[in-house]
């Protein structure tokens, strides 16, 4: 059985979710910079956690590419 299409599909799904999370956090960072009421430690840690999730999704998406 050829696993390449399945592995490429997993990679595309992970990269798509990572791009979505990253773009959402870019908007949060922009709002955090421009709106003084939005600044708090809670919002900072939400952005930090989401950026870490983005890094994890990119790593998970890169692993199947190593097997092709």
């Amino acid at each position: 059985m050829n696993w390449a299409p399945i592995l490429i599909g997993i990679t595309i799904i992970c990269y798509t979710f990572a791009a979505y999370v990253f773009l959402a956090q870019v908007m949060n960072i922009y709002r955090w910079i421009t709106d003084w009421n939005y600044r708090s430690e809670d919002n900072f840690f939400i952005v930090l956690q989401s950026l870490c999730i983005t890094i994890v999704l990119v790593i998970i998406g890169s692993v199947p590419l190593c097997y092709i």
Side-chain angles (χ1 to χ4, degrees):
M1 181 177 178
N2 190 4
W3 287 92
I6 296 170
L7 296 175
I8 292 171
I10 291 170
T11 302
I12 290 171
I13 290 170
C14 288
Y15 284 175
T16 302
F17 283 130
Y20 169 74
V21 172
F22 180 72
L23 291 176
Q25 294 319 305
V26 167
M27 291 306 298
N28 278 339
I29 291 170
Y30 174 75
R31 185 170 176 202
W32 191 49
I33 291 170
T34 57
D35 188 6
W36 287 95
N37 295 326
Y38 194 70
R39 288 187 184 188
S40 70
E41 288 184 13
D42 293 334
N43 292 335
F44 173 75
F45 287 116
I46 289 170
V47 170
L48 187 64
Q49 178 186 14
S50 296
L51 292 176
C52 291
I53 290 170
T54 301
I55 292 169
V56 168
L57 284 172
V58 168
I59 291 171
I60 291 172
S62 298
V63 169
L65 292 178
C66 296
Y67 290 106
I68 295 179

